[in-house]
């Protein structure tokens, strides 16, 4: 087998055994590493960067980091030290790359072929964005989008809009959004956007802007390519264009993390089928499990603490598995009654895959 790629320096503190290194900017959590304790440990959490991570020196004086707030009555720059005086809240969210599950698309879209591990459930601490807006006199007229801009140094000699990481989400997302400086009880690491990150609970990963330098309430969406043409639900055979839906709120989704037969066949007898389920901004009502590839279903039990609508829930179902081959699948329902779909929605970029069939696992018992 080819030697595993080493962890990139900015993420060198991560657990190599828990991660698949696709490239220096794409690290995936192994399915077998998710465990059953709700929170994804920081050293096992996936990483996705669209540009090289900034120099670690941006963490030298965290409190001096500035973010400019625009599209409010009194726009100005605030330091992180000042943000910390405006309020503090803690929110658990699923952070998931919109391309998670791309590896299951038979069309082999370009981009990282993630399986299930471009996702995790983490706890953020920071100031609610609505507090910041209130402190600056409220929204200016005509605010339709919340636009966040990443603080990376842009490569020279290219159109800045072709590389700038800048994303817009509907302005209603402000109600839940956070400017976060802590993750899982620690100062936010460079790999995950330190010193300051815009967290948009319930929205796909790309909308959670790391090293955020600017937050603007705008009448139009960002003109950056990552917004106008990237991360769009472009139908197969089409060309990406700004009139196609952007990857915003996450759909209802679940998958099984165990048992896996990745180290050979299982012994006949009882197993605990377990996994995770989440419902974007809506939370989870229940999860069903099938041991026959989706012909019949049984209700699983939601286990562990409920960390709110944006977090994932663990589920478990005890099952007896006899000798043979079994296709284990899970299907979640969110609190709005949306049921996880059987089929993926085909699209050019391989985004938003929530198909329960694609995420099923085949185990051999002998
Ligand atoms: N931010 C910035 N600034 N930059 C970049 O690149 N990316 C995205 C987000 N944010 C970026 C940002 C993506 S795309 C994702 S997923 C996320 O982030 C991830 O995160 P982590 O922390 O895990 O790495 Mo897909 O949808």
């Amino acid at each position: 087998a080819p030697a595993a790629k080493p962890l990139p320096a900015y993420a060198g503190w991560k657990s190599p055994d828990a991660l698949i290194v696709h490239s220096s900017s794409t690290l995936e959590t192994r399915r077998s590493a998710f465990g059953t304790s709700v929170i994804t440990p920081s050293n096992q959490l996936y990483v996705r960067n669209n540009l090289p991570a900034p120099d670690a020196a941006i963490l030298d004086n965290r409190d001096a980091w500035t973010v400019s707030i625009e599209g409010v009555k009194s726009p100005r720059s605030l330091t992180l030290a000042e943000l910390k005086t405006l309020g503090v809240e803690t929110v658990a969210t699923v952070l998931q790359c919109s391309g998670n599950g791309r590896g299951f698309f038979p069309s082999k879209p370009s981009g990282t072929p993630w399986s299930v591990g471009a996702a995790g459930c983490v706890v953020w601490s920071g100031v609610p964005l609505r507090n910041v807006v209130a402190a600056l006199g409220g929204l200016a007229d005509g605010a339709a989008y919340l636009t966040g801009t990443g603080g990376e140094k842009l490569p020279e000699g290219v159109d800045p809009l072709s590389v700038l990481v800048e994303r817009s989400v509907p302005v209603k997302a402000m109600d839940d959004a956070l400017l976060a400086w802590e993750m899982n009880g620690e100062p936010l690491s460079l790999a995950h956007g330190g010193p300051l990150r815009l967290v948009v609970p319930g929205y796909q990963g790309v909308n959670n802007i790391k090293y955020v330098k600017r937050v603007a309430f705008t009448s139009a969406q960002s003109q950056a390519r990552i917004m106008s043409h990237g991360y769009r639900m472009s139908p197969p055979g089409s060309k990406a264009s700004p009139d196609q839906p952007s990857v915003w709120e996450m759909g209802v989704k679940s998958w099984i993390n165990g048992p896996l037969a990745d180290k050979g066949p299982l012994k006949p007898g009882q197993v605990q089928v377990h996994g995770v389920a989440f419902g974007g901004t809506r939370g989870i009502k229940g999860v069903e499990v099938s041991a026959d590839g989706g012909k019949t279903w049984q209700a699983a039990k939601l286990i562990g603490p409920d960390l709110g609508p944006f977090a994932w829930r663990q589920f478990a179902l005890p099952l007896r598995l006899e000798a043979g081959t079994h296709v284990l699948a899970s299907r979640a329902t969110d609190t709005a009654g949306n049921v996880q779909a059987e089929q993926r929605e085909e699209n050019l970029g391989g985004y938003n895959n929530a198909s329960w069939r694609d995420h099923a696992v085949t185990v051999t018992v002998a």
Side-chain angles (χ1 to χ4, degrees):
K5 292 186 195 118
L7 292 169
Y10 69 92
W13 51 275
K14 296 232 170 206
S15 163
D17 294 345
L19 293 160
I20 303 159
V21 181
H22 291 286
S23 74
S24 62
S25 55
T26 47
L27 316 180
E28 173 167 7
T29 310
R30 288 186 190 280
R31 197 171 192 152
S32 55
F34 274 115
T36 53
S37 324
V38 187
I39 295 301
T40 309
S42 303
N43 66 357
Q44 302 187 8
L45 182 64
Y46 85 102
V47 174
R48 178 4 175 183
N49 277 333
N50 297 66
L51 283 174
D55 196 291
I58 67 168
L59 300 184
D60 287 351
N61 187 355
R62 292 170 179 266
D63 280 350
W65 181 262
T66 59
V67 57
S68 109
I69 312 288
E70 298 167 22
V72 289
K73 296 263 161 62
S74 309
R76 66 181 177 90
S77 276
L78 285 86
T79 61
L80 177 45
E82 195 176 0
L83 288 174
K84 287 177 175 170
T85 68
L86 296 179
V88 60
E89 210 169 80
T90 297
V91 181
T93 76
V94 172
L95 183 67
Q96 178 188 229
C97 180
S98 43
N100 200 26
R102 181 185 288 125
F104 301 126
F105 279 71
S107 55
K108 303 237 174 298
S110 69
T112 307
W114 308 106
S115 159
V116 297
C121 183
V122 292
V123 179
W124 308 97
S125 222
V127 61
L129 187 55
R130 54 179 195 280
N131 289 25
V132 181
V133 169
L136 300 183
L139 292 180
D141 294 338
Y145 297 96
L146 156 56
T147 297
T149 311
E152 287 106 335
K153 203 171 159 299
L154 301 182
E156 314 250 323
V158 291
D159 175 3
L161 288 180
S162 70
V163 285
L164 182 69
V165 178
E166 184 174 89
R167 291 281 306 171
S168 304
V169 295
V171 70
K172 67 167 188 208
M174 177 185 80
D175 295 342
D176 300 319
L178 223 60
L179 287 171
W181 52 79
E182 258 180 55
M183 192 187 86
N184 290 351
E186 290 168 336
L188 191 50
S189 61
L190 186 71
H192 296 296
L196 190 68
R197 185 171 193 166
L198 174 64
V199 173
V200 187
Y203 282 63
Q204 295 283 17
V206 67
N207 303 295
N208 296 257
I209 300 295
K210 310 195 217 187
Y211 353 96
V212 64
K213 278 308 281 177
R214 174 179 173 260
V215 170
F217 296 93
T218 52
S219 57
Q221 296 178 18
S222 167
Q223 299 291 301
R225 185 137 190 116
I226 194 172
M227 186 71 216
S228 59
H229 291 74
Y231 299 86
R232 296 271 166 186
M233 291 295 280
S234 315
S238 73
K239 272 174 82 180
S241 85
D243 58 346
Q244 296 153 351
S246 195
V247 296
W248 282 336
E249 280 186 56
M250 293 189 281
V252 59
K253 181 170 179 180
S254 72
W255 64 79
I256 287 165
N257 286 323
L260 304 175
D262 51 352
K263 294 195 183 82
L266 307 175
K267 296 253 175 304
Q270 178 163 294
V271 296
Q272 298 289 333
V273 178
H274 65 87
V276 293
F278 52 100
T281 58
R282 301 161 308 277
I284 283 297
K285 184 158 84 192
V287 180
E288 301 159 285
V289 164
S290 171
D292 54 14
K295 288 196 206 69
T296 62
W297 296 90
Q298 289 181 68
K301 194 173 164 212
L302 299 178
I303 59 166
D306 180 351
L307 297 179
F310 313 116
W312 64 29
R313 294 299 310 266
Q314 302 275 150
F315 64 85
L317 180 76
L319 272 185
R320 288 199 69 80
L321 294 181
E322 307 307 334
T325 296
H326 306 273
V327 178
L328 307 178
S330 65
R331 182 171 71 180
T333 303
D334 68 23
T335 59
N338 301 302
V339 180
Q340 185 176 352
E342 176 175 358
Q343 303 298 345
R344 76 191 88 82
E345 184 182 343
E346 299 297 343
N347 66 92
L348 242 122
Y351 298 122
N352 288 357
N353 191 352
S355 151
W356 62 251
R357 187 167 290 288
D358 281 357
H359 291 78
V361 295
T362 302
V363 296
T364 308
V365 177

